[in-house]
Amino acid sequence: MNHPTANNMKKILTFILGMMVVASCDLVSKSSSDKEEVNIDELEGMAFETEQLSFSYDKDKVEVGINVEYPKDGNPILVNAIREYISETLGGTYDGDLEEGQQLVDYYGGYYEKELNDEKQEQIDDNDGNDEIINGFYRNYDIKKEYESDQFVTYLVNSDIFLNGAHGVESSYGMTFRKSDGRRFGTDMMRNLYSQDLYAIIKNGLIEYFGQYSDESVTTDEDLKEYILTDDDVNYLPLPKNAPYITKEGFVFTYQPYEISFYAAGMPTFTVPVSKMKPFLSQTALKMLGED
């Protein structure tokens, strides 16, 4: 009978120890995974609470108005992500405590108050002190929670800016945040961006919008061309520069003034139901929507 040598015994012991380490790592990995799933469920289930904050200034043809539905409580990761988004939307220069929402709003209100008053004075100085040329200066922001589901929160930003020009400039766009980790869902949640089917959705959405906007019937490609500023083929129109955001009705696409049509046409907007958007969404987005 052959007995294992010291060398062989050493190899056997090394192998056994190695297998024990692998098994241990596997158990830790499974345990961590289970823990992560529980934490995600808990984070998504936390109540998301907000508070209304505002700043107002109106004096000598200068007006600043900021209204914000500011995150107050909930999943701290989500709350912080939306607070950062609000700050970035208003300029991105606030370096104070994000928990101090009113302080943040007052900071940006004061910043724009000074900026517009300086701009007004500069125009008066350029016209030899003649203040009759001033029609007004204003900046208004309305930032609010547009929609909330069990899995995500969508914020909508409406702004209106006038700098004593021919007319003001309005803007409207939104952003969707995943509740579990505050991730922003923009155009990166989409795929098949150059699909003929997606181009058709864009074209039909614009035909519907301009049909409602105009007193005249808009049903054909030729009708649509009358409202499009670019020379692009209406069968290959680009997506809006701002990513779509998600509401109860579906995905909202909004073009800003002059982006695709003339100023008087407003902001061409249309909504596409989730069921029609599924072929153009990543698995991550589908999972968040419960459509995977």
Side-chain angles (χ1 to χ4, degrees):
M1 180 175 177
N2 294 325
H3 295 282
T5 64
N7 234 0
N8 287 337
M9 284 294 295
K10 186 176 180 180
K11 289 180 180 179
I12 292 170
L13 286 172
T14 300
F15 175 78
I16 292 172
L17 286 172
M19 292 302 294
M20 289 173 66
V21 169
V22 170
S24 174
C25 289
D26 187 53
L27 287 172
V28 170
S29 176
K30 288 181 180 178
S31 175
S32 298
S33 176
D34 291 342
K35 184 178 180 181
E36 183 179 354
E37 288 181 12
V38 170
N39 285 341
I40 288 175
D41 290 341
E42 289 176 352
L43 291 173
E44 286 184 345
M46 292 181 71
F48 179 69
E49 299 179 10
T50 63
E51 59 181 335
Q52 295 292 334
L53 304 177
S54 63
F55 174 94
S56 180
Y57 174 88
D58 188 357
K59 184 178 179 181
D60 298 331
K61 299 182 180 180
V62 171
E63 176 186 335
V64 178
I66 300 176
N67 293 296
V68 176
E69 190 171 351
Y70 201 74
K72 182 180 179 181
D73 199 11
N75 169 9
I77 303 173
L78 173 67
V79 166
N80 188 69
I82 297 178
R83 286 173 176 174
E84 288 180 343
Y85 175 74
I86 291 171
S87 180
E88 291 162 9
T89 297
L90 290 171
T93 57
Y94 175 75
D95 63 355
D97 188 350
L98 290 175
E99 289 192 8
E100 301 296 331
Q102 188 61 57
Q103 181 176 298
L104 178 148
V105 170
D106 289 343
Y107 166 83
Y108 285 112
Y111 177 89
Y112 289 122
E113 175 189 329
K114 181 180 185 306
E115 180 185 70
L116 295 185
N117 274 300
D118 289 346
E119 177 66 24
K120 183 186 77 170
Q121 190 59 51
E122 184 177 331
Q123 290 195 25
I124 291 174
D125 293 343
D126 288 344
N127 285 272
D128 300 322
N130 180 12
D131 62 0
E132 293 182 1
I133 59 145
I134 303 301
N135 294 317
F137 295 81
Y138 59 73
R139 273 184 179 268
N140 295 306
Y141 291 93
D142 184 37
I143 305 174
K144 63 181 180 179
K145 182 181 72 173
E146 180 71 3
Y147 180 67
E148 179 181 356
S149 75
D150 291 338
Q151 289 76 35
F152 63 88
V153 174
T154 293
Y155 260 68
L156 181 65
V157 178
N158 290 309
S159 68
D160 191 10
I161 301 171
F162 180 69
L163 302 177
N164 198 46
H167 54 70
V169 177
E170 295 181 72
S171 181
S172 181
Y173 53 92
M175 181 60 67
T176 297
F177 301 82
R178 186 165 59 190
K179 273 190 167 181
S180 62
D181 59 2
R183 176 184 171 180
R184 302 180 189 185
F185 275 75
T187 308
D188 56 344
M189 67 181 164
M190 298 177 64
R191 60 188 184 88
N192 297 331
L193 294 180
Y194 304 104
S195 161
Q196 191 61 55
D197 290 336
L198 183 57
Y199 281 125
I201 285 176
I202 296 170
K203 182 180 78 172
N204 292 332
L206 289 170
I207 285 176
E208 181 182 0
Y209 173 83
F210 289 117
Q212 295 172 347
Y213 158 82
S214 172
D215 293 333
E216 300 176 359
S217 174
V218 180
T219 57
T220 68
D221 289 5
E222 292 302 315
D223 295 335
L224 180 58
K225 287 179 183 178
E226 297 297 318
Y227 294 91
I228 302 301
L229 286 176
T230 71
D231 294 328
D232 293 334
D233 185 329
V234 293
N235 291 297
Y236 297 95
L237 293 172
L239 288 166
K241 64 180 181 180
N242 292 110
Y245 56 91
I246 311 172
T247 67
K248 183 178 181 180
E249 289 72 30
F251 286 72
V252 181
F253 294 80
T254 302
Y255 292 88
Q256 305 307 307
Y258 292 124
E259 186 179 355
I260 200 167
S261 189
F262 42 84
Y263 179 78
M267 290 176 279
T269 301
F270 56 90
T271 302
V272 183
V274 172
S275 58
K276 287 189 176 181
M277 283 298 298
K278 286 175 66 174
F280 314 107
L281 300 177
S282 68
Q283 282 299 312
T284 305
L286 289 169
K287 183 176 181 180
M288 182 183 71
L289 293 166
E291 298 285 345
D292 56 327

